[in-house]
Amino acid sequence: MKYDGKLLGQARANIAARKAANEEEHHRRVRQIHTLIPEIEKIDQTLRSHMASVVSLTIRHDPDLDAKIEGLRQENLNLQADRAELLVKHGFDCNYLDDIVTCRKCGDTGYADGAPCSCLLEEYNREMTKELGTLLQTGDESFQHFDLTLYDTAPKANGDIPQENMKMVYGICRKYADTFGPGSMSMLFTGNPGVGKTYLSACIAREVASDGYSVCYETATAALGTFETEKFSRDPEEAEQAARRTERMLSCDLMILDDLGTEMVTPMSVSALYTLINDRLIHHRPTIISTNLAPEDLEGKYSPQIASRINGEFMPVEFDGRDIRQIKKERGLA
């Protein structure tokens, strides 16, 4: 499974910081107990001297090595029992001086059996969620919270029933998220404003990110503006930041480009859009584009090349219904 290097690096840093904090707390407890209970400090000094003795015996290849090590082991067990008894006598838990470890599986290293530990993946997903903050706005964007009752059940003039259509759309999106992997198809979400395109994109993003894949979300205005900033900014730091963002958009496992068609269309933005779509298609990296435009309007808005890539390579998913915000207002839910 491929991970976003930047986010994985931050997740590792979080694990390392947690380990350092645990070690500092352990040292604080040791200092505290040694001050309050000097007998325990003497026991700890003896235990350390026994460890040094084992090393010395091993290096010297002592002929009675096994017997002497066994004797030290038994003495250590007695000392540890004495230490636990003293701790309890003074009102502390018998394990108060044990090493503090948050994840027993990996010992707070982030890796177990040569693979990323579940604790590291949890940190990775937290960082991913932060990166998706503009998309996961309320925290309830999940398939479980998707409400089909917000779509009309009355047939339209053409006989279509919005709720039935959206039930199929929901099924498509849910299956896409559940089966996402290298080589998944790109998708084009079309439909009127406010019918759930961004919401279901967020649902997919949450599921895909939770499986450890890297997800990048940008509005079309922000994404294409970033390409322009990278190319034309005279501020080296600003240009470098933009370059990192464009690299993420090009290389992430799933790119979500929201509200295509609302940005100002310029030769630069058209070029950037073509680069983003074409590069990701060449490298078989799926993209989800949401737009209020109809597929047949893409050529007139952008270029024949862009329209050809999208209409030929993206799976069309047509959203149906009225603006959910308006429906909530009508029902007193807003």
Side-chain angles (χ1 to χ4, degrees):
M1 189 174 295
K2 184 178 180 180
Y3 299 99
D4 183 288
K6 174 189 172 184
L7 299 184
L8 189 60
Q10 184 58 55
R12 287 173 179 159
N14 294 348
I15 295 289
R18 187 168 67 196
K19 182 178 182 180
N22 286 341
E23 291 174 348
E24 176 56 34
E25 173 59 17
H26 177 254
H27 294 324
R28 184 198 68 78
R29 291 184 181 186
V30 170
R31 292 192 299 268
Q32 174 195 23
I33 295 301
H34 284 181
T35 301
L36 291 173
I37 315 172
E39 297 94 329
I40 288 183
E41 183 175 14
K42 292 179 182 178
I43 289 174
D44 287 343
Q45 289 172 348
T46 303
L47 289 169
R48 286 195 296 271
S49 71
H50 286 178
M51 185 178 298
S53 295
V54 169
V55 173
S56 177
L57 289 168
T58 303
I59 292 174
R60 290 190 288 107
H61 301 288
D62 191 287
D64 298 324
L65 177 63
D66 291 342
K68 290 181 178 179
I69 288 180
E70 177 59 23
L72 289 172
R73 189 183 73 83
Q74 289 298 330
E75 190 173 348
N76 284 351
L77 290 174
N78 293 333
L79 288 170
Q80 290 166 5
D82 291 343
R83 183 173 66 168
E85 185 177 340
L86 284 168
L87 284 169
V88 172
K89 180 180 177 180
H90 286 80
F92 294 92
D93 186 270
C94 64
N95 299 317
Y96 188 68
L97 291 181
D98 289 356
D99 289 338
I100 302 172
V101 179
T102 301
C103 179
R104 296 289 175 184
K105 184 178 178 182
C106 70
D108 289 345
T109 63
Y111 289 85
D113 300 324
C117 183
S118 57
C119 69
L120 178 60
L121 297 183
E122 287 174 5
E123 286 296 327
Y124 178 89
N125 291 329
R126 288 192 187 98
E127 292 302 317
M128 180 65 72
T129 301
K130 290 179 186 177
E131 291 284 319
L132 293 171
T134 53
L135 179 60
L136 307 179
Q137 296 174 0
T138 66
D140 73 343
E141 294 89 349
S142 66
F143 288 113
Q144 290 77 12
H145 291 122
F146 185 72
D147 189 357
L148 280 167
T149 67
L150 294 174
Y151 296 89
D152 294 329
T153 57
K156 300 189 299 184
N158 62 2
D160 287 345
I161 301 175
Q163 189 176 107
E164 291 301 315
N165 289 341
M166 287 307 299
K167 186 183 295 185
M168 288 188 290
V169 168
Y170 171 86
I172 291 170
C173 293
R174 186 66 187 263
K175 183 177 181 181
Y176 185 85
D178 289 343
T179 61
F180 182 87
S184 289
M185 289 191 65
S186 292
M187 295 200 295
L188 177 67
F189 289 176
T190 62
N192 294 326
V195 293
K197 298 188 297 296
T198 298
Y199 189 95
L200 280 176
S201 294
C203 294
I204 292 172
R206 188 183 294 278
E207 291 292 323
V208 170
S210 71
D211 287 336
Y213 292 101
S214 56
V215 182
C216 187
Y217 165 83
E218 293 284 0
T219 64
T221 298
L224 303 182
T226 299
F227 278 86
E228 185 172 1
T229 298
E230 178 189 5
K231 187 171 183 179
F232 296 111
S233 178
R234 296 182 179 181
D235 182 336
E237 183 176 350
E238 183 182 52
E240 177 60 27
Q241 290 176 349
R244 287 197 295 268
R245 285 182 65 189
T246 56
E247 174 57 28
R248 280 206 66 202
M249 287 188 279
L250 291 171
S251 64
C252 63
D253 295 316
L254 175 63
M255 174 68 202
I256 297 176
L257 188 66
D258 200 21
D259 279 339
L260 183 66
T262 59
E263 77 286 355
M264 181 179 295
V265 178
T266 65
M268 177 60 205
S269 70
V270 171
S271 174
L273 179 60
Y274 180 81
T275 296
L276 178 61
I277 293 172
N278 193 57
D279 188 271
R280 292 188 60 80
L281 285 173
I282 288 173
H283 292 95
H284 307 288
R285 297 179 181 130
T287 304
I288 294 176
I289 296 176
S290 71
T291 180
N292 300 332
L293 298 171
E296 58 269 20
D297 295 332
L298 292 172
E299 181 173 341
K301 183 81 172 181
Y302 298 105
S303 70
Q305 292 84 356
I306 289 174
S308 175
R309 294 296 188 280
I310 294 176
N311 291 330
E313 302 287 346
F314 283 61
M315 172 184 174
V317 181
E318 186 175 356
F319 284 60
D320 201 355
R322 296 186 293 132
D323 191 324
I324 291 174
R325 289 178 289 269
Q326 181 61 36
I327 293 175
K328 285 184 175 181
K329 186 175 179 180
E330 292 172 1
R331 299 180 186 179
L333 302 175

